[in-house]
Amino acid sequence: MADTQYILPNDIGVSCLDCREAFRLLSPTERLYAHHLSRAAWYGGLAVLLQTSPEAPYIYALLSRLFRAQDPDQLRQHALAEGLTEEEYQAFLVYAAGVYSNMGNYKSFGDTKFVPNLPKEKLERVILGSEAAQQHPEEVRGLWQTCGDLMFSLESRLRHLGLGKEGITTYFSGDCTMEDAKLAQDFLDSQNLSAYNTRLFKEVDQDGKPRYEVRLASVLGPEASLDSEMTSKLKSYAFRGSHFQVTRGDYAPILQKVVEHLEKAKAYAANSHQEQMLAQYVESFTQGSIEAHKRGSRFWIQDKGPIVESYIGFIESYRDPFGSRGEFEGFVAMVNKAMSAKFEWLVASAEQLLKELPWPPAFEKDKFLTPDFTSLDVLTFAGSGIPAGINIPNYDDLRQTEGFKNVSLGNVLAVSYTTQREKLTFLEEDDKDLYLRWKGPSFDVQVGLHELLGHGSGKLFVQDEKGAFNFDQETVVNPETGEQIQSWYRSGETWDSKFSTIASSYEECRAESVGLYLCLHPQVLEIFGFEGADAEDVIYVNWLNMVRAGLLALEFYTPETSSWRQAHMQARFVILRVLLEAGEGLVTVTPTTGSDGRPDARVRLDRSKIRSVGKPALERFLRRLQVLKSTGDVAGGRALYEGYAAVTDAPPECFLTLRDTVLLRKEARKLIVQPNTRLEGSEVQLLEYEASAAGLIRSFSERFPEDGPQLEEVLTQLATADARFWRGPSEAPPGQA
């Protein structure tokens, strides 16, 4: 069997996303709006399969065919008759649920491949003897032949997402290297094109010279249209001795479905902001225009306090090895009024709290753009995973000048981060009960501060296309050097494009550090209803959770390539290193032996030293992070951040050795079952499922009742059309033995 690092355990936690009460309170019109937005999100989420691995679309299509013909209980009888044990069949259900939950065969949190935890030949018997194979023998056998080997393969390069020799990615063709990615980014910057909705494909011509295709996601292909904004960009370019061709039409049939439901949602919009927002999203997905998506995002920012909240598009760049391309994501949620009231109070206090952050006023935005900050109960979250909170849009120019929104996903928090005492690792026994009591409340505080005042704070120094600066070159001084500002962002440069591979993790680290720093402020704790001893417990557990998370983060470090696979976890490890460096016994990590005789470890945090030792250390670190970000000092930022992110076996912590202990004791991330909505006549029904791998599979089997088979065909056709970009010279085409 495979290394446990690459399987999902049979006893993996599975929870249901409960939004019944929030959905019940919607009006009929609001339900119709939510339904069509949900349909748009689920259709668009299929693009993630094409953004993950070459085999992911085929695996999805194969699983969908199997479970459409026989539900999990029916297939179980067939599997047992074929000689599988109950444990092996459960392992297959967990694998299938994992593929659906992650929209591919790589974990959304950690980017590690997972494989079925049963013998390949047994799974083959189940698949080829299934009802689906009886109904469509050629299709099912072809799918299995295409993806079966890759489904199980743990060849070193295929174990993790990455670029070149370090992993697999479908944001780039298989022969692209980091140098190709950097060249492509410079080309995109030169043409004022965003990388968010692109993929890069490289081929070598007869003269041995590389030719690059930058492909935009859109419904329209190369055909002319009235949209001069994008059609003028669709041409060949010579750039630094290389040939670039900008095309569009990536994911076209999938985005067509997205557009259809966004158009339908417009009929039920609550106001003109929502109507104009949706119109611009339609324009963006049709034409391939990020500028149109930005315009839609402007209307979204202006739509304050909607009952049904949503956002959709190519959003987060965590899984692009270069850090610039966005994964498709769409969510629909409903306001939780009780928690939202606390967040509104936090927003009202934001300008005062921003003054507490440890950098000079010149490094803060000229004006705090008061955002929406709501707690939402998620109805739909399509993509590779569901976060606990969101701060969007990610466009730097909008965030700096027009604002943003903060979202805390209350019903996700309620199920994702609960832990049973017996599974609570790396803490002293004396800390466990306190941790379980206050982890949820402290996480509410941390998410609020992280999203609003972490991601929402800080100014980028920019020189625009006319040469004008957004800061005073004569008077603004770098607090680290005492000198005038020496570097900044030029026109067309963004945080993501400039800091590329470390941008996401660096920014998550800055936001997490802001949360830790400001949770010490009595006013913050009062907003969330904590005073006295309770407030001190919330602070302690918040800091304790962060240092424990820093240790758990070692699961997502790959020693073979000295690389991190998850931005958030790398960020938490960096904070652990900062607090360990503070010394004076603030934080200690001690290897030990567990009651089972196997290696274990304990994290200790001296709560009496959080303010006297921890706060000054965090203050110095936060100021350096912000100054380097504001000034666009990539060299300084990399030196600082990568220095703290380095994992060695140097004493006293011996992190490489501790990583083995973390892997030995890890708990798998929970799978979350989401409901469906279904239109029956003029009414929208909410369809819920049981909290199990089988329930999660059923939710996907019923997600596309009208056009499931056609969607699977579309996905495999799109994957096959590009298969040559990841196939070695001696490999057969997909579908052929």
Side-chain angles (χ1 to χ4, degrees):
M1 291 298 157
D3 185 320
T4 56
Q5 186 179 355
Y6 303 106
I7 61 170
L8 303 178
N10 278 13
D11 63 350
I12 192 169
V14 184
S15 297
C16 286
L17 212 51
D18 182 10
C19 63
R20 188 182 312 163
E21 182 61 15
F23 185 80
R24 185 185 68 80
L25 295 173
L26 296 181
S27 71
T29 300
E30 290 164 347
R31 289 186 184 187
L32 285 162
Y33 183 64
H35 168 72
H36 287 296
L37 288 175
S38 292
R39 300 311 300 154
W42 286 124
Y43 278 115
L46 296 173
V48 177
L49 294 160
L50 295 157
Q51 294 180 299
T52 300
S53 70
E55 68 273 14
Y58 301 104
I59 295 173
Y60 173 91
L62 178 61
L63 294 174
S64 296
R65 283 188 177 275
L66 283 176
F67 291 113
R68 188 185 308 108
Q70 293 170 283
D71 79 8
D73 288 342
Q74 293 169 331
L75 192 61
R76 170 180 274 105
Q77 301 309 312
H78 163 60
L80 297 180
E82 288 287 352
L84 270 69
T85 64
E86 287 282 2
E87 291 74 20
E88 288 169 337
Y89 183 68
Q90 178 63 19
F92 174 55
L93 290 186
V94 166
Y95 175 79
V99 170
Y100 286 134
S101 187
N102 293 277
M103 270 289 102
N105 56 331
Y106 286 76
K107 297 174 187 174
S108 65
F109 205 79
D111 298 341
T112 304
K113 188 175 186 177
F114 57 96
V115 300
N117 190 25
L118 72 159
K120 181 187 172 190
E121 59 274 13
K122 285 194 171 186
L123 181 55
E124 181 174 61
R125 289 205 301 270
V126 172
I127 290 170
L128 298 184
S130 67
E131 186 66 30
Q134 305 305 314
Q135 295 171 1
H136 304 282
E138 290 185 12
E139 290 89 338
V140 171
R141 181 174 291 276
L143 287 168
W144 173 249
Q145 289 178 338
T146 301
C147 69
D149 287 342
L150 285 169
M151 186 188 290
F152 281 84
S153 176
L154 286 174
E155 178 189 332
S156 58
R157 182 170 174 252
L158 303 182
R159 292 175 185 173
H160 311 291
L161 297 180
L163 189 56
K165 296 178 180 179
E166 294 192 359
I168 188 72
T169 177
T170 46
Y171 285 110
F172 298 86
S173 55
D175 55 353
C176 281
T177 64
M178 193 60 73
E179 286 67 35
D180 293 312
K182 290 174 182 174
L183 177 66
Q185 186 63 59
D186 289 346
F187 164 72
L188 290 166
D189 290 344
S190 75
Q191 299 301 317
N192 202 25
L193 275 169
S194 170
Y196 269 119
N197 65 340
T198 70
R199 292 198 287 170
L200 183 70
F201 298 93
K202 173 185 173 184
E203 293 190 279
V204 179
D205 64 20
Q206 292 179 340
D207 298 327
K209 295 182 179 179
R211 301 174 67 86
Y212 299 96
E213 177 194 359
V214 174
R215 191 187 302 169
L216 311 178
S218 68
V219 175
L220 291 178
E223 62 268 25
S225 73
L226 299 177
D227 175 59
S228 59
E229 174 196 333
M230 293 312 300
T231 51
S232 63
K233 306 265 189 190
L234 304 175
K235 60 184 181 182
S236 297
Y237 300 81
F239 182 77
R240 293 187 188 169
S242 294
H243 175 87
F244 280 84
Q245 179 80 36
V246 177
T247 67
R248 65 180 175 186
D250 217 1
Y251 325 117
I254 293 171
L255 291 178
Q256 178 61 50
K257 291 285 190 179
V258 175
V259 165
E260 288 171 8
H261 280 280
L262 292 178
E263 291 282 13
K264 290 178 179 178
K266 262 200 299 186
Y268 306 105
N271 53 53
S272 62
H273 289 315
Q274 290 180 1
E275 291 174 1
Q276 294 175 90
M277 169 189 82
L278 293 174
Q280 291 299 326
Y281 290 165
V282 166
E283 175 82 358
S284 174
F285 298 142
T286 301
Q287 302 285 355
S289 168
I290 289 295
E291 289 303 315
H293 197 267
K294 284 186 180 180
R295 292 192 292 269
S297 297
R298 288 189 177 96
F299 290 118
W300 179 71
I301 293 167
Q302 295 164 20
D303 184 27
K304 302 289 187 181
I307 300 299
V308 177
E309 182 63 282
S310 69
Y311 197 64
I312 190 169
F314 296 89
I315 313 298
E316 301 292 356
S317 56
Y318 301 126
R319 299 182 96 188
D320 170 13
F322 189 72
S324 295
R325 286 151 192 81
E327 184 174 83
F328 194 95
E329 183 178 286
F331 79 86
V332 184
M334 301 146 294
V335 173
N336 178 316
K337 293 184 178 179
M339 182 57 77
S340 294
K342 296 179 181 180
F343 289 140
E344 286 172 14
W345 188 4
L346 187 65
V347 170
S349 307
E351 287 191 83
Q352 179 184 345
L353 292 170
L354 283 170
K355 296 174 184 176
E356 302 293 326
L357 292 172
W359 47 77
F363 286 75
E364 195 47 71
K365 294 184 181 74
D366 300 330
K367 176 176 171 45
F368 181 68
L369 301 164
T370 305
D372 250 10
F373 197 168
T374 49
S375 177
L376 304 176
D377 285 341
V378 171
L379 170 65
T380 294
F381 207 112
S384 66
I386 312 178
I390 313 171
N391 176 288
I392 37 182
N394 286 335
Y395 305 119
D396 293 326
D397 48 350
L398 295 192
R399 293 163 68 90
Q400 293 285 317
T401 60
E402 302 192 37
F404 51 90
K405 283 187 183 183
N406 296 275
V407 170
S408 176
L409 304 178
N411 60 342
V412 176
L413 282 168
V415 299
S416 294
Y417 297 93
T418 54
T419 307
Q420 297 173 339
R421 195 181 195 282
E422 58 271 21
K423 292 187 176 182
L424 191 54
T425 55
F426 306 129
L427 292 180
E428 296 288 349
E429 285 298 318
D430 291 348
D431 280 332
K432 287 185 177 180
D433 291 332
L434 195 69
Y435 182 92
L436 292 171
R437 166 70 181 86
W438 292 108
K439 185 186 177 187
S442 73
F443 206 66
D444 285 336
V445 174
Q446 180 68 11
V447 168
L449 294 172
H450 174 117
E451 300 297 347
L452 175 66
L453 299 169
H455 292 314
S457 65
K459 178 176 181 173
L460 301 185
F461 294 159
V462 178
Q463 182 183 25
D464 67 21
E465 65 277 2
K466 297 178 181 177
F469 292 88
N470 69 344
F471 66 100
D472 189 332
Q473 284 185 286
E474 299 299 321
T475 61
V476 177
V477 174
N478 184 324
E480 296 293 303
T481 64
E483 301 174 350
Q484 290 182 324
I485 302 303
Q486 303 293 317
S487 59
W488 49 82
Y489 296 80
R490 265 69 177 184
S491 176
E493 291 182 333
T494 67
W495 164 248
D496 282 331
S497 70
K498 203 165 173 65
F499 280 72
S500 64
T501 54
I502 67 166
S504 293
S505 183
Y506 189 112
E507 174 60 10
E508 289 304 322
C509 186
R510 197 183 68 88
E512 292 281 42
S513 298
V514 166
L516 283 186
Y517 187 76
L518 288 179
C519 83
L520 299 170
H521 200 289
Q523 183 181 352
V524 168
L525 297 163
E526 183 184 348
I527 288 170
F528 284 89
F530 306 120
E531 295 179 313
D534 286 353
E536 291 302 309
D537 284 344
V538 167
I539 291 169
Y540 175 63
V541 170
N542 195 29
W543 279 61
L544 180 63
N545 183 52
M546 188 62 67
V547 296
R548 176 177 180 264
L551 181 61
L552 295 175
L554 288 167
E555 175 190 343
F556 303 97
Y557 178 77
T558 306
E560 294 81 5
T561 57
S562 301
S563 62
W564 285 89
R565 305 188 308 275
Q566 219 288 331
H568 296 78
M569 298 309 278
Q570 181 182 7
R572 292 163 189 169
F573 177 78
V574 166
I575 292 172
L576 171 61
R577 287 283 309 277
V578 169
L579 298 180
L580 281 166
E581 191 179 90
E584 298 187 42
L586 172 69
V587 175
T588 55
V589 181
T590 308
T592 184
T593 301
S595 57
D596 57 4
R598 299 189 297 172
D600 206 343
R602 293 289 178 269
V603 172
R604 295 183 181 89
L605 170 68
D606 187 336
R607 67 189 297 168
S608 70
K609 296 178 179 176
I610 290 175
R611 286 184 172 84
S612 62
V613 179
K615 183 180 180 183
L618 199 61
E619 184 174 297
R620 291 190 296 272
F621 178 63
L622 245 181
R623 182 167 53 248
R624 293 180 71 191
L625 284 179
Q626 183 56 51
V627 168
L628 292 164
K629 179 180 179 182
S630 289
T631 58
D633 184 350
V634 179
R638 282 193 176 277
L640 172 71
Y641 198 70
E642 291 174 348
Y644 277 112
V647 179
T648 71
D649 229 13
E653 288 80 25
C654 303
F655 282 120
L656 281 175
T657 299
L658 278 172
R659 178 179 177 273
D660 295 334
T661 303
V662 169
L663 291 174
L664 179 69
R665 304 266 175 197
K666 70 172 185 168
E667 181 182 2
R669 191 172 175 84
K670 285 184 177 179
L671 303 179
I672 296 180
V673 183
Q674 298 187 56
N676 284 318
T677 57
R678 182 163 298 170
L679 193 57
E680 297 183 3
S682 60
E683 294 187 358
V684 180
Q685 303 297 323
L686 185 71
L687 306 179
E688 297 175 289
Y689 303 88
E690 67 179 30
S692 67
L696 199 156
I697 290 166
R698 289 188 181 100
S699 73
F700 270 86
S701 293
E702 297 182 8
R703 193 140 284 157
F704 304 105
E706 300 90 2
D707 53 3
Q710 293 92 325
L711 288 172
E712 292 145 26
E713 188 173 347
V714 162
L715 284 165
T716 56
Q717 286 175 346
L718 291 175
T720 301
D722 290 327
R724 70 184 190 279
F725 290 113
W726 295 282
R727 194 166 61 238
S730 63
E731 294 180 57
Q736 294 183 19

